[in-house]
Amino acid sequence: MLSESLKKNKYQACEEIGRGRFGVISRVFCPMTQSSFACKTIDKRLLSDPTDRECLENEPKIMTLLSPHSNIVQIYDMFETEDTVQLILDLCQPLTLYDLILQPDLSEPKAASYMQQLVLGLAHCHRFGIVHRDIKPDNIFFDSRGNLKIGDFGSATWLGELGTVDGLVGTPYYVAPEVVMGRPYNEKVDIWSAGVVLYVMLAGAPPFFGETAEEIFEAVLRGNLRFPSRIFRSVSADAKDLLRKMICRDVSRRFSAEQVLRHPWILNGGQTISMD
């Protein structure tokens, strides 16, 4: 249900297209521009944790700062009532990167294209001192033309004066080890997560796994990056080299977004014949 203030403006409510922890996402239509958008409605009554409330306040500010960028979901409007906050965003396709990863024919060139677009978006965030903190396939969307867009900035935050933040934020399979250890961390946690996304694209499974969140965290902390031959026999050496440099426990040696974009596998569009 759209708020009265939103109704009085330029949007008409259409069907619900998604549901999350704190609310729903609906399609809305703007008669003035003859365009459709996504409306993310957040129920403030569900935000009992102070951290969640802070994220609610930060999300529209961060998205406004980052907009427009071809690889980031754009925010167009925001409306607030006593109980809800409603964000008017790019309307993306119903399929996320998670859905595409489940398809068996994801080639290296296609994976390289997705990774380049993802890291271009991350580089833009990092230039503004913003760390996303929840990069995973479910938060990676596509517009009507097939362009990749990073979405869901509910966990994003600004890096502090020291260039670091803290807090156990993220999704177990994709979270960086320094986050799990409770140490202050920087924007390179997004690169670790993006590296795990790349691994999943190429292997169909995450590099670190377990039956529970605790077991997954333990595997992440061990950080034993392996390339099982039955899965990776047809994956190029360049792709594996990039994975090692993104999923690197030593933060000082882990690639930055700009370094990822300059890696041969990205520059060559995944077109490589070199094998281990």
Side-chain angles (χ1 to χ4, degrees), residues 21-22 44-57 168:
R21 250 195 329 155
F22 301 122
K44 292 191 284 188
R45 293 167 296 184
L46 300 177
L47 303 172
S48 56
D49 189 307
T51 302
D52 291 333
R53 286 192 169 274
E54 182 181 356
C55 288
L56 170 62
E57 294 174 1
L168 181 56

Side-chain angles (χ1 to χ4, degrees), residues 14 63 84 94 101 114 126 135 157 167 182 192 210 212 221 228 240 242:
C14 301
M63 295 190 76
T84 66
I101 285 173
Y114 291 157
H126 297 169
I135 293 296
T157 190
W192 174 285
T212 64
L221 289 174
K240 285 180 269 194
L242 179 57

Side-chain angles (χ1 to χ4, degrees), residues 143-244:
D143 65 16
S144 59
R145 292 172 292 182
N147 296 316
L148 180 149
K149 289 183 176 285
I150 302 170
D152 199 343
F153 283 79
S155 298
T157 190
W158 284 274
L159 294 170
E161 292 182 5
L162 298 177
T164 60
V165 292
D166 52 34
L168 181 56
V169 178
T171 300
Y173 286 119
Y174 299 91
V175 72
E178 61 267 29
V179 178
V180 180
M181 288 186 280
R183 297 177 180 172
Y185 50 86
N186 62 20
E187 73 282 355
K188 285 190 177 181
V189 299
D190 288 342
I191 301 303
W192 174 285
S193 301
V196 176
V197 170
L198 176 56
Y199 189 103
V200 174
M201 281 197 284
L202 296 174
F208 314 111
F209 49 88
E211 294 296 322
T212 64
E214 186 176 273
E215 289 180 4
I216 297 168
F217 287 150
E218 289 173 358
V220 168
L221 289 174
R222 287 194 297 272
N224 296 324
L225 184 63
R226 296 188 175 95
F227 301 112
S229 58
R230 65 182 180 83
I231 298 173
F232 279 89
R233 71 166 64 92
S234 61
V235 174
S236 67
D238 283 346
K240 285 180 269 194
D241 179 69
L242 179 57
L243 285 168
R244 291 186 188 98

Side-chain angles (χ1 to χ4, degrees), residues 105-132:
D105 56 349
L106 185 60
S107 66
E108 277 196 46
K110 182 61 72 174
S113 173
Y114 291 157
M115 186 53 44
Q116 182 182 46
Q117 294 177 75
L118 171 58
V119 179
L120 280 168
L122 289 178
H124 183 67
C125 295
H126 297 169
R127 281 193 288 270
F128 281 93
I130 291 167
V131 54
H132 185 283

